[in-house]
Structure formats: C-alpha cells, structure tokens
C-alpha cells in the first residue's frame, strides 16, 4: 500500500533527525541536486509577458485621448517613438531622462519589495538636491565639493524619509499618507529656500546660486548632456541594488517582511528595522536622483526641479516588478514616454497630461496583469 | 457519573491493541444497516446526489457524494481531516458551489447560490472557525443575518433572541460583545442565530474541537433538544466516540467519497474506526521520558491580552530537558498569550522566563530563537509560512543568518537549497521542487514544512501549538514519533493542544490552564480525567 | 471694529475651507467603515472639481455643474471600486493609479476644452446663502449662517451619515464587512454590493467637494486647487476615529490651517511678510503630520481596512 510505505520511510528517515544539522549533513551529495533554471525561466518569461501586455494595453487605452482630439494614434505613437529613440541624440536624451527615474525607482523597488509604499520620493528628491547643491555652493570650487554634495544629498534624502519611517515603525502611522504629505512640505520648503534665504542674487526667477564648476558632473559623451550621473546609475547603483536584493540576507528579509510581516517577526527578523532601512535607502537614492539633476543638467536648484520623477518611479518600480533589471528596462521605457510625449505635443499640438495619464493606466494594468494573464492562459493564448 | 463516562471510555479505547481493529475489518459483514435512500422519500429533510467538487488547485474534495438526512434526526458526518466533510457542508450551506450534483430539500430540487438562499431553504451552518464579528454584540450579530431593511430594529431581534433561548433553555445575554464570551457560549450564539432565522437543518462543523468534555456534554444536550423540536442536525466530526454518542445515523467519508451510512445503534466504535481510517495505523504509546536538567523556568509571568486586560496571570511552571509538558485547557484561557510571551512575540508585564540562566522575558524573537527555542505555531498560514516565497526560502527562515547559509550578509543559495532538499525528503513533504512557492502545497504539507523547519534547527526547547492540526492520522503519527525522538535526545517540549487525546498520549506531565492561571498539574501516570475535565472549566474541587 | 471684522471674515473662511474636507471625509468614512482604503479620493476630487467646472462653464447653469461633478466623482470612485472590489487589486496602489490618471485626464482635457491656454473663469458662483434671522446673530451669524449651500448640506450630512452607519441595517452590514468580509459573506451578506453602494455614496460626496472648490470657493479651475485635500481628508478620517462627528471636528481644524495659509498675506506686515506668507503654505500639511503623530497612534480602524478580500 502506497501510504504505508510512506509511513515507513518517515520512520526510517527519522534517525537523521539530529537536533543540530551539521554543515556536512546539509550538503549531502544526493541532496544537492542541480536545478534546471536558465536565465529565461518560465516564471521570468511569464513576468515579461505580463509587463509587455500591460504596456500594450496602456498604449491602447491612451490612444483614446488622441482619437478624442482627432489625432491618429498610430501617427502619435510614431512621433512618440521617434522623439524617444529616433536618432542618436534623441536616444541619448532619453538616457539623460532615464537617470533620475532609474535612481528613484531602484530605491522604490527596495521599499515596495517589503511593501512599504514610499510615495514621497518626490520630496526626498527635492530635499536631497537642495542639501547637496547648497553644500557644493558652500564649499565653492574645491575638489571636496562633489563628494561632499553627494554625501549630503544621500543624507538629506535619507533624513527626509526617516521621518515617515519613524512614524511608521514607532507609531504605526500609514506611510502612504505621511510620505505624500511630506512631498508638499519638501517642495514648498525648497521653493521658499530658493525664493528667499538662498535665492540667487543674479537670476530673475527664484532659484539657488549656481553650483561651482568642480561640482558639475563631467560630460562623458561630448556635445551631449550625457553626464557622469548616468554612468553612476547604470554601473554603480543598479548592480549594487541588484546585489543587495538578490544576494544578501537584507534582500531575503525584504522579501519575507513584504510577503508576511507576521511570519517575519515569528522567524526572528526585526521587521521595524527592515522597514526603516528600506525606506531610508529609497530616500537616499531619491536624493541622489535630485542632486545629479542639479549637478549634471540644471546647475542650480530651481522650483521646477522635477516634473514628477518621484511619482514616475512608482509606475516604473511596479512595471519592473521591483526587480532591478525590470526597473532598468521600464525606466528606459518611461523616459522614452516623457521625451516622446514632448515630441507628440510639438508635432501634433497635443496637450500635456499624457505622461501622467499613461502612468496611471500603466499601473492599473500592471496590477491587473496577473488577471489578464490568467484569462489569456485560460483562452489558450499563452501556455500555462 | 454518566457525564464523564463518554470521556473515560474514549481514553481507554486508545490503549487497545491495534490488531483488534484489523480483525474487525473482517467481521464487518454485509451492509445490513444501510438505509436505502431515495430522493422521492419525503422523510428526507435534505438529500444530495452525485456531488463533485474540485478545487482550483486540482484537489478533488468531493467525489460523487450521495447522502440524505431525515427529518428530526441527528446525523454525524464522520471522517478524517481532508475527507471532504466540510466541503460538502459548505456546499449545502451555500458557501461553495458544486461542480456537479443535485440537492433536494423536502424532496424538491434546489439550487443553493449563497448563504442567504440556504437559510431561506432552512439550512444553516455553524462553521468550525466561528463566524461572528467579535466587536459586535450578540444582538448585532444576529441582526446581521436577518434581512430587515431600513432602520435597524435591534429591539425586535433582542426579543426574538430571548424567546428562542428560553425555548431551548439556553441562557445568553443579548447585549454582551462576542469578544467577551468564552468559546462555548459563542457557539451557542451561532446556534441561536440560526434558530432566529427559522432554520430546520443545522450543520455543526467540528463543534467539539474547542470545547472541554463538560462543554461537549452540554452541547450534546442542546443538540438532543433541537432534535426534540423536530430539527435535523448534522454534526461533522473526526471523533468516532462523539459520532456514536450523539447521533442517530452516521455517514462515513474518506478521501472525498461516502464510504457508508450506518445506524448508530447497529454499529460500534471498532467498526467505525476501521471505516474511517483505511488500513493499519501505527500508534505510538505514551512512553516515558527521562527528565534531565531544567530547560525552562517560568515564574510569575503576567501577560496582557489584546483587550489590555491580563490574559496570563502569574503563571509558574518548569520544563526539564527530555520531558514533554502538556498544557491542557480550553482555547482562550491565556495559552496564546503565554506562548507569544515565551517566544518574544508579546510583551511581558512582569515575571521571568529563564533558560540557562538567561531571562527570555521581553527579549525579541531573534534572541529567543538563537537561544534554542523552536515554535510550531497554530497560525501556520498567518505566521508560520510565507505563502508567496519558495519552499527553500521558507525553510531558511530561522537560519538564514547562520553559517553556512550566509556569511557577511551574503546568502549562499546553494546551501539553502540543499538544506531544503534534505528536509523535504526527511519529513516527507510532497513538493515538486524546493523553488516552488509554498502556496502550491496542500495544507497538510504546509504543516509538515513548518514542523520540519522547527524540529531541525537543533533547539533545546520546542514549543508546539497544535502540531498536528489539519493532518491525517498517519502524518500525525509521524510528527508524534518525531517529537518523542527529540525528547529521547534530551529536548524539552512544551505542548499546547486543543486535542486532549494528543496531550494525554505524549505528555510526561500535564498542566491545566484556566483563566490565565495554571490551576493544576498531573503526572501522566496518575491522571484523573474527571478532575482534569473539571479543572479545565475552572472548578477547583 | 476692523479687527473684529477681519476676525469674523477669517473665521467664516475657516468654515468655508472646512466644507470640502468635511464632504470628502464623510464619504471616506463610509467606505473605510466597509474596509476599503480609498486613496484615489485625491484624484476623484480633482475630477469632481474639473467635471463640475466644465458642466457649469459650458451650460452656464451652476446646478448642471453640480450634477456633472457628482457624476465625475462617482465615475472616478467606481473605477477604483472595480479595481479593488471586482479584481481585488492592491487598494493603496490602485488609489495612487487613480490619482495619476485623474491628473492626466484633468491636464489633458483642460487644454482640449480651452485650447487657447490661460485659465477660464466662471462669472457666476454658488453664493453664500444668508439664513434668515440666524445670520443676524452677532459674530456667529456671519461665520456660520452666511455660507454657501454646500456647507449646510455637509452639516446636515453629519448626523445622516452617523445614522446610516450606526442605526440602519445597511450600516450594520457595512461595519461587519469592514470588520471581517469573510464572516460577513458567511452569514449571507453580499460584500461586493455593500462596498459598491458605499463607493457610489463616496463618489457623490467627493464630487460635491470638488464642485465646491470650483463652483463656490474659486471661480476657476486649476489642477492645483484640490491638491492634497484628498489625503488630508483621509487623515481626518483616521484622526476622527472613523466617526462622522470626528470628521466634522477634524475638518474644521484643518480648514482653519488652510484658511490661515491662504490669508497669510493679509495678516502679515513688515519686510518679511511675503517670505513668511509663502512659508505658511506648508502649514496644513505640517499640521496634519503633527496631528497624526499626536492622535494617529491610538486609533484603531476597521479590522479589515485595506486588506484584500477574494471570494472563496
């Protein structure tokens, strides 16, 4: 009888149940079977399909906007694609646009992985940029200006995120509300700073003084705006975040806390510490995003520093499945939408607002993509 | 004392040699007691035919089930965990819809789309996990299920509750909040609620699982009262003894199928047992442990419950290595809070919990885990596992920070996975791949996974809460065997279980918990079941 | 005399600013009692304000604006409702998506409707309505009884919503769904129907709140007019302990801070005046955050608030 044999296996296996499994017993040769998992495993392929379906549907829904205004959606998307990736200079501009989005969304990926909904990246970006830039201005044209500004931008973003993080971990206050409200405080504060106490004496509009030359990020591709910050995003921030999430115990804790905080606590994980760290790391990266916009592109802190990168980061992190590689691809895509929409506006006289609209629709479809995928699998469009 | 008879017989029955039940199988003759059933028979309050239900994960919970309940009878639905009893009853009460099959109420074919419809047809269910809103009063809870649109007419409902409870001799204060009632009374509220809805067929899902022996007797008295009033009662149970004690007829289910329906008067315990569990079940007998040095000393422990009142009141006890201490008691008498305080999941107001000269009270769980305390939790879905993470990640939960699984914060994925492979094998977890999500496992295998993790990390104290919840007899036996083996190796075990049989079978000593206190203690050799039963209800004599 | 006049005018302004917050937080109280955390209220209010403005502008009839505002609010909230009730998607993220979507829609269609650029104005508004006799009471009269009709409606709604939640069968079911939707469905309550009903109610109230901003408080539309109001309303619900009376008190407090930041320039004098006045814009947000720190800790909401619930 099959079941009886199982019972016997259990009993015969039980002597192996030593109180302390030694390292050698855990690595018994027969136990360490190689697991066949390629780079494109089935589950990974499935999440790529899901992202692609979400993008496709978001573009279809957005074409309703074009149709309403009498524009041909295909033409509009052609201009959008052209404006984003049509030639080398457009492509480089898209990469320039991608840099702050990538920084923000890598951080948000960490926060979202442990289900901490930091929607305050916009404010953290402003505070980090302002603190970092003012540090550089304060230090003047010295070699210290750039590194010091980076440190201060990180601390600024972290510090600003630490406030809602403490409110969440110590008092249990919903971080969505606090991080969002703190965006207004941050933007209004920075606006006030550059309008009054730190206002440039020479500029016509409220903005800070210009940062010293030593703090300006070097241009890596001549005659473009491709600055060092983009390289740092791609070659330092991205691999670092990937490593942190995939290979470390911190990444493991993020996953456990995100999926089941009760189980995390039960399993001996310090849930509050993990949430706190996730929030301030995302704040730090948002701060860097803002600083590199100032030091690579704008050279002084303006009230219009960010067109909403903090919110775009939300859509990007979700579309990328909180996975650094996915985030890289989706931040490139959304940077393309940003720049492409500008081109659509110029060519077809389309009003602004397309970017927010696409982001909203995109998030909805990303959330619903599991449903859509299952529906398609039932219909036999995709194999289960 | 007829009240206790039922209980005593059960415990002696457990000690009978198993060979007997094998012999019984042969003696079961032609099914003379089987009642011929027909849907046309107007005596059936409810009759189901050919019910099949397959869950989305592929589990066939009901396979072509046919059975009927007569008017004014108590009918027991008997079977092991996972036999499909609850699924069948959820179908009858409108909580689930069947894939195929027909349901006849009073001889008429009906479709039961939701719980409201079921109630209209006169079918009501008391779920195993009671379905009352804790922060509502009795009246409000009853009002929820009585459709009176517009203004909330609580006075009418209150009067009805009083009338119904008087009629059956069930005392209840309609204005108490449910969270202030003990479990036994909550169950009573559920029954009253169904009666207020003029239900004719009451389904009780494992109603005795949370009750003390005395409360069980009280419940059975109520059930007989209902029968006298002409109601049909279906009792779902996995305890043969209880099925025999209360019902007129018994239907046995196994692996989603109806095995047989018998008249209670024409059968006996052995026959039923052999029908419920197919084949030979090895039973570990209550062997003795060899207590060694003190493993845990708990002194004057005070712990607050969620309501802010003290739930654990000055508890003292000690556990030695190589010993199993069973804590008996009705759920809700402070056990949960005690366990959470011992494992660092809940703040301790005062008192100490000392292990190897180190006070564990108010230390975080990570500290207590490192000291060598394992905890098999009752809330396996909520707390014990992370459903959307892989099996290997789940098994690594408590050791991820230790070498060789990680070093300098860097995880060694290969070691984590090979450990998972090893545990899957040793604990007979039915899983395709250690990288599969835990959500793909069945409830029983999830339980095994959690037990595997907790029993394999070299702990010196194991706190086990309902360690065999949701497992069939064989898997339960395997876990009992493992606990006893660990005891033999000098591990101390603190066992909490709602199943008194389990406690009696495994424990060297049994402490009784009532109202946040340890009210008595027995050595397993000198166990006085009558006193134990009384103590569980707070009686000191 | 002038001091008192200014004080009265300021107090009246506090009440006026409280009005949209009260309408929105009453709506949010109802849905949160049913276990749904709707952060999309921010976007719904924007759409309410926008659709109300469009309706009034193009028909020239204020009441039509009121109707279109409610339709806009209900449509936005129902879209959110379909996502979280029908598809059981994450409530927080769905709310954020609605907000982004709403701001995209408002920005885009503002320019579609008024291609010339600039901000269109209405030359008619819902004027304050002086209640006969009562508005003659010194001090209190001009503050409380000389307000737009929205205000009286919102005040009347406080006891009505209270009655709805605590004294009707619907309210009892709503609360049970918010405590434990699984149990509620076991006793035969149609969880989805209850939740959709509460969402429609919220949509109407939030639409009205938006309409108040564009059809009574200001006579123009700008996507920034309602910014942050939705989130402040959600905070008010928390601080008001999910009780309509609490929502009333909270709305008055936060309305005052908004009035203060709005009136900053009028009160402040001296060389730093414009600087300080600009700094005052953070006041409502900072007050909300501080209030959450002080009062948000102890409040325990409906047990199932924000939790996903899928039918078995």
């Amino acid at each position: 009888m099959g079941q009886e044999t199982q019972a016997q296996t259990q009993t015969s296996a039980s002597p192996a149940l030593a109180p302390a499994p030694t390292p050698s017993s855990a690595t018994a040769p027969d136990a360490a079977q190689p697991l066949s998992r390629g780079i494109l495993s089935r589950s990974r392929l499935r999440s790529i399909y899901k992202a692609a379906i979400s993008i496709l549907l978001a573009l279809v829904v957005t074409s309703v906007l074009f149709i309403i205004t009498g524009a041909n959606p295909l033409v509009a998307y052609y201009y959008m694609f052209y404006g984003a990736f049509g030639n080398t200079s457009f492509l480089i501009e898209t990469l320039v646009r991608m840099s702050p989005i990538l920084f923000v969304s890598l951080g948000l990926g960490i926060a979202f992985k442990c289900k901490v909904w930091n929607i305050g990246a916009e404010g953290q970006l402003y505070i980090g940029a302002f603190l970092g830039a003012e540090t550089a201005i304060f230090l003047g044209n010295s070699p210290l200006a750039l590194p010091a500004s980076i440190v201060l931008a990180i601390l600024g973003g972290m510090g600003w995120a630490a406030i809602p993080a403490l409110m969440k971990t110590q008092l249990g206050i919903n971080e969505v509300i606090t991080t969002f409200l703190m965006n207004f405080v941050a933007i209004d504060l920075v606006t006030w700073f550059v309008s009054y106490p730190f206002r440039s004496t020479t500029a016509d509009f409220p903005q800070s003084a210009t940062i010293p030359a030593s703090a300006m990020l070097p241009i890596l591709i001549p005659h473009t705006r491709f600055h060092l910050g983009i390289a740092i995003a791609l070659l330092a921030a991205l691999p670092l975040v990937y490593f942190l999430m995939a290979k470390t115990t911190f990444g493991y804790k993020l996953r456990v806390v995100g999926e089941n905080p009760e189980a995390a606590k039960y399993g001996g994980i310090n849930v509050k510490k993990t949430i706190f760290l996730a929030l301030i790391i995302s704040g730090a990266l948002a701060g860097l995003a803002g600083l590199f916009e100032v030091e690579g592109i704008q050279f002084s802190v303006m009230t219009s520093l960010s067109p909403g990168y903090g919110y775009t980061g939300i859509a990007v992190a979700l579309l990328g499945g909180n996975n650094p590689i996915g985030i890289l691809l989706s931040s490139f895509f959304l940077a393309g939408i940003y720049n492409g929409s500008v081109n659509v506006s110029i060519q077809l006289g389309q009003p602004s607002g397309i970017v927010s609209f696409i982001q909203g629709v995109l998030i909805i479809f990303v959330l619903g993509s599991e449903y859509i995928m299952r529906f398609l699998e039932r219909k036999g469009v995709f194999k289960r | 004392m007829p009240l206790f008879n039922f209980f005593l017989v059960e415990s002696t029955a457990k000690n009978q040699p198993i060979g007997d039940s094998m012999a019984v199988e042969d003696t079961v003759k032609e099914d003379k007691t089987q009642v011929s059933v027909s849907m046309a028979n107007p005596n059936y309050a409810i009759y189901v035919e050919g019910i099949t239900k397959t869950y989305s994960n592929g589990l066939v919970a009901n396979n072509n089930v046919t059975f009927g309940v007569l008017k004014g009878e108590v009918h027991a639905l008997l079977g092991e965990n996972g036999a499909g009893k609850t699924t069948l009853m959820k179908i009858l009460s409108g909580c689930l819809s069947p894939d195929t099959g027909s349901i006849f109420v009073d001889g008429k074919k009906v479709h039961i789309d939701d719980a409201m419809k079921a109630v209209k047809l006169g079918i009501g269910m008391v779920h195993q996990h009671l379905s009352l809103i804790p922060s509502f009063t009795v009246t409000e809870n009853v009002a929820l299920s009585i459709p009176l649109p517009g203004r909330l007419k609580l006075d009418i409902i209150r009067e009805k509750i009083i009338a119904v409870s008087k009629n059956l001799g069930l005392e209840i204060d309609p204005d108490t909040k449910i969270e202030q009632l003990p479990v036994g009374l909550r169950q009573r509220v559920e029954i009253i609620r169904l009666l207020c809805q003029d239900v004719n067929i009451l389904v009780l899902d494992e109603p005795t699982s949370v009750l003390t022996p005395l409360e069980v007797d009280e419940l059975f008295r109520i059930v007989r009262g209902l029968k006298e009033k002409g109601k049909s009662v279906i009792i779902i149970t996995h305890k043969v003894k209880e099925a025999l004690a209360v019902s007129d007829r018994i239907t046995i289910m196994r692996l989603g199928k109806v095995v047989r329906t018998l008249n209670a008067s024409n059968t006996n315990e052995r026959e039923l047992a052999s029908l419920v569990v197919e084949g030979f079940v090895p039973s570990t007998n209550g062997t003795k442990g060899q207590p060694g040095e003190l493993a845990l000393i708990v002194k004057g422990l005070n712990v607050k419950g969620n309501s802010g009142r003290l739930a654990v009141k000055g508890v003292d006890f000690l556990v030695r290595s190589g010993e199993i201490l069973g804590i008996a008691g009705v759920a809700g008498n402070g056990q949960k809070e005690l366990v959470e305080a011992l494992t660092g999941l809940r703040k301790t107001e005062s008192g100490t919990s000392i292990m190897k000269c180190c006070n564990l009270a108010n230390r975080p769980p990570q500290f207590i885990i490192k000291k060598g305390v394992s905890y098999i939790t009752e809330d396996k879905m909520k707390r014990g596992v992370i459903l959307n993470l892989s099996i290997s990640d789940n098994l690594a939960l408590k050791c991820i920070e230790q070498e060789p699984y990680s070093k300098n914060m860097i995880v060694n994925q290969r070691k984590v996975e090979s450990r998972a492979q090893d545990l899957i094998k040793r604990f007979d977890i039915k899983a395709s791949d250690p990288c599969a999500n835990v959500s793909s496992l069945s409830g029983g295998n999830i339980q095994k996974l959690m037990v595997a993790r907790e029993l394999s990390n070299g702990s010196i104290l194991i706190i086990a809460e309902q360690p065999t919840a949701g497992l069939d007899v064989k898997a339960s036996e395997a876990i009992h065997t493992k606990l006893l083996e660990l005891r033999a190796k000098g591990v101390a075990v603190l066992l909490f279980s709602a199943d008194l049989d389990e406690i009696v079978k495994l424990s060297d000593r049994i402490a009784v918990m009532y109202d946040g206190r340890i009210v008595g203690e027995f050595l397993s050799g000198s166990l006085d079941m009558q006193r134990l039963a009384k103590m569980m209800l707070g009686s000191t004599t | 005399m002038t001091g008192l006049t200014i004080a009265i005018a300021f107090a009246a302004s506090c009440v006026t600013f409280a009005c949209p917050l009260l309408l929105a937080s009453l709506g949010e109280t109802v849905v949160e009692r049913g276990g749904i955390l709707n952060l999309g209220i921010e976007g719904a209010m924007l759409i309410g304000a926008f659709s109300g403005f469009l309706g009034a502008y193009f028909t020239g009839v204020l009441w039509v604006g009121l109707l279109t505002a409610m339709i806009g609010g209900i449509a936005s909230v129902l879209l959110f409702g379909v996502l979280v009730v029908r598809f059981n998607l994450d409530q927080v993220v769905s709310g954020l998506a609605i907000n982004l979507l709403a701001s995209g829609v408002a920005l885009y269609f503002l320019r579609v409707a008024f291609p010339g650029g600039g901000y269109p104005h209405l030359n008619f508004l819902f004027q304050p309505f002086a209640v006969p006799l009562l508005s003659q009471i010194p001090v209190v009269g001009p503050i409380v009884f000389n307000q737009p009709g929205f205000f009286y409606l919102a005040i009347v709604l406080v006891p009505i919503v209270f009655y709805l939640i605590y004294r009707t069968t619907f309210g009892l079911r709503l609360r049970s769904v918010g405590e434990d939707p699984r149990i509620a469905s076991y006793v035969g309550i149609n969880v989805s129907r209850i939740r959709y009903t509460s969402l429609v109610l919220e949509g109407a109230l939030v639409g009205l709140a938006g309409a108040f901003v564009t059809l009574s408080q200001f006579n123009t539309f700008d996507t920034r007019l309602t910014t942050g109001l939705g989130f402040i309303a959600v905070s008010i619900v928390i601080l008001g302990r999910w009780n309509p009376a609490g929502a009333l008190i909270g709305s008055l407090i936060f309305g005052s801070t908004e009035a203060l930041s709005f009136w900053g320039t009028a009160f402040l004098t001296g060389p730093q005046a414009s600087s300080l006045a600009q700094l005052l814009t953070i006041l409502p947000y900072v007050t909300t955050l501080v209030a959450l720190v002080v009062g948000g800790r102890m409040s325990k909401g409906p047990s199932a608030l924000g939790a996903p619930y899928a039918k078995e």
Side-chain angles (χ1 to χ4, degrees), chain B residues 283-296:
Chain B
S283 172
T284 10
N285 273 321
T287 48
K288 279 269 157 296
Q290 277 152 358
E293 61 192 84
L294 283 168
L296 178 74

Side-chain angles (χ1 to χ4, degrees), chain A residues 61-369:
Chain A
V61 170
T62 308
S63 59
V64 172
L65 290 191
F66 299 127
I67 292 168
I68 288 175
T69 51
N72 183 339
L74 290 176
V75 175
Y77 283 127
Y78 167 75
Y79 284 125
M80 193 177 272
F81 182 83
Y82 188 80
F85 317 112
N87 60 36
T88 323
S89 67
F90 282 156
L91 196 63
I92 288 174
E93 269 305 301
T94 298
L95 287 173
V96 170
R97 181 76 82 174
M98 185 185 82
S99 162
I101 299 176
L102 183 57
F103 270 115
V104 166
S105 51
L106 282 173
L108 292 184
I110 291 175
F112 292 177
K113 194 76 196 176
C114 82
K115 297 262 161 73
V116 183
W117 301 114
N118 177 12
I119 55 170
E122 188 78 359
Q124 291 144 18
L125 181 152
Y126 267 84
I127 295 292
F130 177 74
L131 263 181
E134 283 304 328
T135 308
I137 293 165
F138 176 76
L139 289 175
N141 217 347
S142 90
L144 264 182
L146 184 58
S149 68
I150 291 178
V151 170
L152 261 290
I154 290 176
L155 288 179
M158 267 190 177
W160 200 250
I163 300 169
L166 283 175
M167 287 169 81
K168 163 107 179 157
T169 53
Q170 301 307 309
L171 305 173
I173 301 168
N174 188 333
E175 77 281 6
V176 181
I177 297 166
T178 53
T179 52
F180 185 77
L181 289 174
M182 283 187 70
N183 285 343
F184 298 121
V185 181
I187 294 168
D188 287 357
L189 262 186
V190 170
T191 303
W192 180 72
F193 277 131
V194 301
S195 305
Y196 295 99
F198 293 90
R199 183 172 182 155
S200 156
T201 45
T202 52
D204 295 336
F205 293 102
Q207 66 181 65
S208 75
T210 308
I211 56 165
S214 64
M216 293 179 187
L217 295 170
I219 297 295
L220 301 182
I221 302 177
H223 313 300
T224 69
R225 301 202 293 173
F226 193 97
H227 55 80
L228 180 66
I230 304 163
I232 295 178
L234 289 170
L235 302 177
L238 180 73
L240 215 67
V241 170
Y242 178 81
F243 181 76
L244 192 69
M245 288 175 81
K247 304 286 177 198
T248 66
T249 50
F250 178 68
Y252 177 86
K253 290 178 188 174
L254 281 181
R255 291 199 294 278
V256 175
V257 171
E259 286 297 338
N260 187 344
E262 267 294 303
K265 204 173 149 199
Y266 158 90
I269 292 172
N270 190 333
V271 175
K272 288 181 178 177
K273 190 173 145 197
T274 310
I275 289 176
F276 184 83
L277 286 175
L279 247 171
I280 65 168
I281 291 173
S282 65
L285 285 162
L288 271 185
L291 180 73
F292 289 162
E293 275 302 280
V294 174
E295 294 188 336
I297 307 284
Q298 303 179 357
F299 307 122
S300 74
V301 181
M302 294 184 231
T303 56
S304 60
L305 171 59
S306 155
Y309 293 140
Y311 302 108
T312 303
I314 299 170
V316 170
L318 291 170
L319 179 62
N322 303 329
N323 169 315
I325 307 296
I327 285 174
L328 171 68
L329 297 174
S330 42
S331 61
F332 184 65
F333 170 73
L334 268 146
I337 298 273
Y338 260 96
N339 285 0
S341 309
V342 175
N343 195 39
V344 175
S345 297
I346 294 168
Q347 303 288 343
L348 297 176
Q350 282 285 319
S352 57
I354 299 174
V355 178
S356 318
F357 187 86
I358 291 189
Q359 287 175 28
V361 179
L362 197 55
I363 294 178
I364 291 175
F365 283 122
V366 169
L367 284 179
S369 60

Side-chain angles (χ1 to χ4, degrees), chain B residues 229-256:
Chain B
K229 301 261 183 270
K231 311 272 182 194
S232 304
V233 182
I234 306 175
I235 289 193
I236 302 179
T237 181
H238 64 279
K239 292 186 177 167
V240 170
K241 203 80 206 170
E242 288 176 359
L244 272 176
V246 72
S247 59
D248 303 315
R249 290 194 307 147
I250 301 169
T251 293
I252 298 122
M253 283 187 78
R254 191 168 66 212
L255 298 170

